[in-house]
Amino acid sequence: MQVLPSTPTLSSIDCWRKFSQQDLQNAINFYETEIAADESITENYWYLGLAYLFVGKESDAQVAWFTPFTLVDESEVDKLTTALIEVLEREANDRVEMSELDRAWLLRQHIWTLAPERLENIFQLICLAGEIGTLTVETLIEWQVEELSESDSREPIDEDLLEQVLSALITIEHELSLKLIRICLGIPKSNQNLVEKTMVALFQTCNKIGSSLFLVHAGEICHELQPNVLGIIQALNFLYSSVGLYPQAIAAAEKLYRLAPGSVEQLVGSYQLQRTHFTAGNYKEAKDQVENHRQLLAKIILESPQDLVRIQYQSLIVSSFFLPYIEDNPRRYKTLQNKLAAIYQKNIQSQIVDSVLEKTVLVKKNGTIRIAYIGMSFKSHSVGWLMRWLIDRHNHQSFEVFLYCLNTTTNDPFNHQWFRDKVNVASYLNSPPGKIAAQIKADEIDILIDVDSLTYDITCLVMAHKPAPVQVSWLGWDASGIPAVDYFIADNYVLPDDAQDYYQEKIWRLPQTYLAVDGFEVGIPTLRREDLDIPDDAIIYLSAQSGYKRHPDCIRAQMEIIKAVPNSYFLIKGKSDATTIQNLFVQLAAEVGVEFDRLRFLERDRDEYTHRANLAIADVVLDTFPYNGATTTLETLWMGIPIVTQVGQQFAARNSYTFMINAGITEGIAWSQQEYIDWGIKLGLDRELRWQVKGKLHTGRTSAPVWNAKQFTLDMEQAYREMWAHYQEQQASNKTDTYDLN
């Protein structure tokens, strides 16, 4: 038999595409008829096989494809094989374009059967299997990826394909995946761009599904191949911290700082170094770095750098994040923050092209005020738990409520679905900030409420684009200082009377409390006194905060309380390096004269419900200073447990104060460290006083403002109405001024 050219004619391709989109059985009939008329045209066998394959007759497809091989000499086999692979590969690519990934994967499996040595096809298989969720270690072994990748005779691989392969391999946590990651990154001779993209993918994976040693080891490979790239070192620092490898994380942050070529890059390294020391609980080292950090901030404000790239201006907005943990001096650090935020916004807005905020998907309005909440916290997160009551109680006759959920995850037990069901429109976005801002603009949002502030850089980037006419910051942290944000929601307690002097945003004070909830779900306690070797008649103090908030001066005050109250014990719980925190508490306890056996260090609870239930073991909770608890304070008050807090000047030092006032108690509110110690001792020694406080908290559950989410929602909605009315008045005034000038 004579083998005709393997490349189909245009009419043959058009014919197949017509059949494949309509009736495959007709295609089978057609090609069988064509073959009966002339068995020498091999393309008819190839497309007959495709038709059989797509109707589920895989064995018939193989027979169709094999038939031409039985009709030619052995010398023609390679030529036929190449022709068949070309058809299968073209069809596989077409199926990817049509999002028929299962069919594309099946076709490439058959290509692999025909040519198992083709590494490019195997890499395509890896990408497809990763997309459809069938990639396993077993398939990687079966395809002999490691052996083929190391072969000197392998064909060149497109870098875009390598990037996709690496993204798929990251999802398979196995030693073989690490070997393949190293091989893939070495194929283009350690191309810096590919290595950096892989590190970004590792960072994003850690953010989305959580940390693991596998991600750390993969990051180490990237760092080994490109040891002096700042972005890679920064991401490695994050990966190390995420799994508690703090010495390695500190070494990475120190290297980042050491290699920084300019003041802005130094600021990135300095921030990472602070963050790592604070996370680990190394307070002294963190404080020393903060002093150096302030000098860097002042230098950058003086330089007022322009034309920064994203990794540079990102560092500006978060650079003062840790100052409130060191000292209670808002006038000092808010002034710095406001200036940095202005430089940050100027850099962002100078890079916005006219098309970024063009309308793309316009949603019709019905006359209501359209409000939107934006953040990454609509999940099992403190902000998610606290704001859900407001979302639940919004008046949808007066307000259309939107959610813009950033950095979405699917494995969260308190999932986005709850929020989706409570709002008019919920958008789940992993887009670049400019596209997110464009969507907000297109949705014609009137008031945009940021619930993240400095805790998530993407939210800051979106707010700096100014996609809504009125922009508000609430709940997630202190105000960011970004000029594009108009208002900061507060109350009469959480900020002092003179706070407007150093806030860029207009402070909008609600009449009672800046936050209210209807309560908390509580699980089953797992902590018992006998398990902790604590007598039944002992007084138990508790502190449950992260390592960021463990200020030595506050710990010393807590130890003075323990020392002064006989038969008392102190439970310490929170996220940080366990050994470092224990060493810090033990050292300070020894300095004050508190025996080590009166301290108990607890592991974190398995979930929020258990954490709340376990609070009940405490007789008194001791708050932190200069950075108070917020969610933990509300949970403590809901559980009816007395709490001692020291009030400062900054937002972070007044959360417990406003919540206690709005829960109906003043007992435990201190205005100095000595008063903090005195209240701690008094509540520990006076059982009757503790019962009085518990009684007030119990009664307040039905009457106190902090537990009245319905009234709080009304107050927030009234604030939104007044903000919107004020904006409309400004717009009308501007139009009048323009008219008069003409």
Side-chain angles (χ1 to χ4, degrees):
M1 162 183 150
Q2 181 184 7
V3 179
L4 298 181
S6 60
T7 302
T9 65
L10 180 61
S11 59
S12 298
I13 295 174
D14 289 342
C15 184
W16 162 249
R17 287 176 177 169
K18 176 182 177 182
F19 280 125
S20 67
Q21 294 298 317
Q22 296 178 5
D23 188 350
L24 289 170
Q25 186 56 52
N26 280 339
I28 292 171
N29 296 339
F30 172 80
Y31 288 115
E32 285 180 341
T33 301
E34 290 293 305
I35 290 169
D38 184 354
E39 66 177 15
S40 67
I41 302 177
T42 57
E43 286 83 3
N44 290 331
Y45 293 95
W46 306 155
Y47 289 109
L48 176 62
L50 285 175
Y52 277 135
L53 185 68
F54 290 162
V55 297
K57 297 180 178 180
E58 191 166 2
S59 59
D60 290 342
Q62 291 171 326
V63 169
W65 290 332
F66 180 70
T67 298
F69 291 88
T70 66
L71 304 175
V72 298
D73 296 333
E74 187 175 343
S75 61
E76 300 287 343
V77 168
D78 288 345
K79 193 172 183 179
L80 277 181
T81 302
T82 300
L84 175 56
I85 289 175
E86 286 178 357
V87 171
L88 296 180
E89 191 158 56
R90 183 167 51 249
E91 188 65 24
N93 291 334
D94 287 345
R95 296 296 164 174
V96 170
E97 289 294 321
M98 292 185 280
S99 299
E100 296 180 6
L101 301 186
D102 288 332
R103 284 184 170 179
W105 182 86
L106 183 59
L107 289 163
R108 290 202 171 275
Q109 273 286 87
H110 283 283
I111 296 173
W112 174 70
T113 303
L114 292 166
E117 76 286 352
R118 292 187 58 157
L119 183 59
E120 192 270 346
N121 180 66
I122 292 173
F123 278 2
Q124 294 283 4
L125 273 170
I126 290 173
C127 296
L128 288 167
E131 285 285 331
I132 62 181
T134 60
L135 185 62
T136 64
V137 174
E138 289 71 26
T139 54
L140 293 174
I141 294 171
E142 180 184 1
W143 294 330
Q144 297 183 320
V145 186
E146 182 180 2
E147 294 84 350
L148 292 171
S149 300
E150 292 177 325
S151 172
D152 293 334
S153 61
R154 64 169 181 252
E155 71 268 29
I157 302 296
D158 179 75
E159 188 175 308
D160 290 338
L161 176 57
L162 280 173
E163 184 182 345
Q164 295 174 49
V165 171
L166 287 161
S167 295
L169 290 173
I170 287 170
T171 66
I172 306 297
E173 298 198 357
H174 192 271
E175 184 180 349
L176 176 59
S177 298
L178 292 174
K179 289 181 180 179
L180 294 175
I181 288 170
R182 182 182 293 277
I183 291 169
C184 288
L185 289 174
I187 286 177
K189 297 182 179 179
S190 301
N191 179 285
Q192 178 176 323
N193 186 50
L194 182 61
V195 178
E196 287 190 82
K197 286 181 177 179
T198 303
M199 197 60 157
V200 169
L202 293 169
F203 177 84
Q204 292 173 339
T205 301
C206 185
N207 262 334
K208 184 171 287 189
I209 66 175
S211 59
S212 71
L213 285 173
F214 170 83
L215 295 176
V216 170
H217 295 324
E220 288 173 333
I221 293 171
C222 295
H223 180 242
E224 179 184 330
L225 292 170
Q226 296 290 340
N228 295 323
V229 177
L230 299 184
I232 290 175
I233 300 169
Q234 183 179 357
L236 184 62
N237 162 266
F238 174 83
L239 293 174
Y240 278 137
S241 293
S242 70
V243 295
L245 294 175
Y246 296 113
Q248 294 91 326
I250 290 167
E254 289 174 340
K255 182 177 181 179
L256 183 66
Y257 183 74
R258 188 171 62 252
L259 293 178
S263 54
V264 175
E265 291 83 5
Q266 284 182 329
L267 192 71
V268 177
S270 178
Y271 171 79
Q272 293 298 119
L273 200 50
Q274 289 175 77
R275 179 183 178 277
T276 309
H277 279 307
F278 270 115
T279 305
N282 298 329
Y283 182 83
K284 180 181 183 303
E285 292 82 354
K287 184 178 181 181
D288 292 343
Q289 187 60 37
V290 165
E291 295 305 319
N292 179 62
H293 194 74
R294 283 200 185 97
Q295 297 178 21
L296 270 174
L297 294 177
K299 181 181 179 182
I300 288 170
I301 290 171
L302 189 63
E303 293 172 350
S304 189
Q306 305 299 318
D307 301 320
L308 300 176
V309 298
R310 177 170 166 178
I311 194 172
Q312 293 175 316
Y313 59 65
Q314 263 181 220
S315 65
L316 295 181
I317 195 62
V318 300
S319 55
S320 67
F321 184 86
F322 291 106
L323 298 184
Y325 294 90
I326 295 292
E327 64 176 350
D328 177 36
N329 192 346
R331 191 175 291 274
R332 180 182 184 184
Y333 82 77
K334 289 298 293 183
T335 301
L336 283 174
Q337 178 64 24
N338 293 339
K339 292 178 180 178
L340 290 164
I343 298 171
Y344 167 83
Q345 179 170 299
K346 189 173 182 180
N347 272 273
I348 293 170
Q349 294 195 339
S350 68
Q351 299 175 32
I352 298 175
V353 296
D354 292 340
S355 61
V356 168
L357 295 183
E358 287 179 356
K359 296 180 180 180
T360 54
V361 183
L362 184 61
V363 183
K364 297 294 183 182
K365 301 183 70 173
N366 60 11
T368 58
I369 298 176
R370 186 168 287 186
I371 61 175
Y373 297 90
I374 182 171
M376 57 87 181
S377 309
F378 308 112
K379 55 184 179 180
S380 292
H381 181 281
S382 292
V383 171
W385 288 112
L386 298 179
M387 73 171 297
R388 59 194 169 125
W389 301 107
L390 173 64
I391 297 295
D392 184 51
R393 291 187 174 277
H394 263 311
N395 178 358
H396 290 275
Q397 292 182 335
S398 300
F399 296 90
E400 283 185 83
V401 183
F402 285 59
L403 285 186
Y404 297 105
C405 309
L406 311 182
N407 192 30
T408 59
T409 57
T410 57
N411 60 346
D412 189 82
F414 176 39
N415 210 303
H416 302 284
Q417 186 61 48
W418 186 93
F419 287 97
R420 185 198 295 269
D421 294 340
K422 299 292 183 179
V423 299
N424 297 91
V425 179
S427 299
Y428 300 86
L429 305 169
N430 285 313
S431 311
K435 287 189 176 181
I436 297 171
Q439 183 61 57
I440 294 169
K441 182 80 171 179
D443 289 340
E444 293 192 322
I445 299 303
D446 298 320
I447 303 176
L448 180 64
I449 304 101
D450 164 21
V451 298
D452 288 340
S453 188
L454 300 188
T455 61
Y456 193 50
D457 63 299
I458 302 298
T459 312
C460 291
L461 287 167
V462 174
M463 298 299 285
H465 279 73
K466 190 65 172 178
V470 178
Q471 299 196 156
V472 181
S473 183
W474 170 65
L475 184 60
W477 207 73
D478 201 347
S480 66
I482 296 173
V485 178
D486 304 290
Y487 298 103
F488 179 55
I489 300 289
D491 57 37
N492 292 318
Y493 306 102
V494 77
L495 290 179
D497 293 340
D498 64 349
Q500 191 63 69
D501 295 346
Y502 46 84
Y503 270 79
Q504 179 281 133
E505 302 84 351
K506 173 70 176 177
I507 298 172
W508 195 287
R509 296 183 189 264
L510 298 183
Q512 293 181 311
T513 175
Y514 85 94
L515 172 67
V517 300
D518 281 344
F520 295 97
E521 299 86 347
V522 180
I524 299 173
T526 58
L527 283 182
R528 303 185 187 282
R529 288 178 177 243
E530 56 265 31
D531 297 333
L532 299 172
D533 193 25
I534 295 177
D536 290 341
D537 61 344
I539 301 299
I540 293 181
Y541 292 91
L542 168 70
S543 178
Q545 299 292 352
S546 68
Y548 290 5
K549 300 181 181 180
R550 300 296 186 185
H551 196 294
D553 291 347
C554 184
I555 296 174
R556 288 189 184 93
Q558 292 167 342
M559 292 305 161
E560 292 286 356
I561 294 169
I562 304 302
K563 181 181 179 181
V565 178
N567 196 28
S568 65
Y569 292 80
F570 193 20
L571 310 186
I572 301 115
K573 179 174 67 173
K575 182 181 180 181
S576 55
D577 180 61
T579 301
T580 302
I581 286 294
Q582 286 190 28
N583 290 340
L584 176 62
F585 271 86
V586 169
Q587 174 192 338
L588 294 175
E591 291 178 8
V592 174
V594 173
E595 301 85 353
F596 170 72
D597 64 2
R598 296 174 69 183
L599 308 181
R600 300 288 187 273
F601 297 92
L602 307 179
E603 294 183 357
R604 299 178 71 194
D605 294 305
R606 62 188 176 213
D607 53 46
E608 294 90 346
Y609 312 103
T610 307
H611 158 72
R612 294 165 194 150
N614 283 336
L615 290 173
I617 197 172
D619 295 295
V620 181
V621 167
L622 299 179
D623 197 11
T624 47
F625 184 86
Y627 205 111
N628 293 169
T631 307
T632 50
T633 296
L634 283 169
E635 290 168 331
T636 297
L637 296 171
W638 180 254
M639 295 300 295
I641 302 166
I643 184 171
V644 179
T645 190
Q646 181 177 341
V647 186
Q649 293 300 301
Q650 64 186 0
F651 176 82
R654 300 172 71 92
N655 270 297
S656 294
Y657 168 51
T658 188
F659 294 150
M660 291 169 73
I661 290 291
N662 282 296
I665 61 170
T666 57
E667 296 86 347
I669 296 174
W671 295 89
S672 68
Q673 187 175 92
Q674 185 56 55
E675 195 174 354
Y676 178 92
I677 295 170
D678 293 343
W679 268 117
I681 295 171
K682 188 173 184 179
L683 283 166
L685 295 176
D686 193 336
R687 182 174 181 272
E688 183 62 31
L689 177 61
R690 293 199 303 273
W691 279 106
Q692 289 176 13
V693 173
K694 286 176 178 287
K696 287 184 178 181
L697 290 173
H698 179 75
T699 301
R701 277 193 175 194
T702 59
S703 59
V706 80
W707 311 128
N708 190 346
K710 180 179 179 181
Q711 181 59 50
F712 167 70
T713 303
L714 294 174
D715 293 340
M716 284 286 276
E717 290 179 341
Q718 182 59 27
Y720 294 155
R721 289 188 186 95
E722 293 178 19
M723 290 175 188
W724 185 241
H726 180 63
Y727 169 76
Q728 290 179 309
E729 289 170 5
Q730 284 184 318
Q731 293 300 104
S733 175
N734 291 340
K735 289 179 181 178
T736 301
D737 292 343
T738 302
Y739 178 79
D740 291 341
L741 286 172
N742 290 336

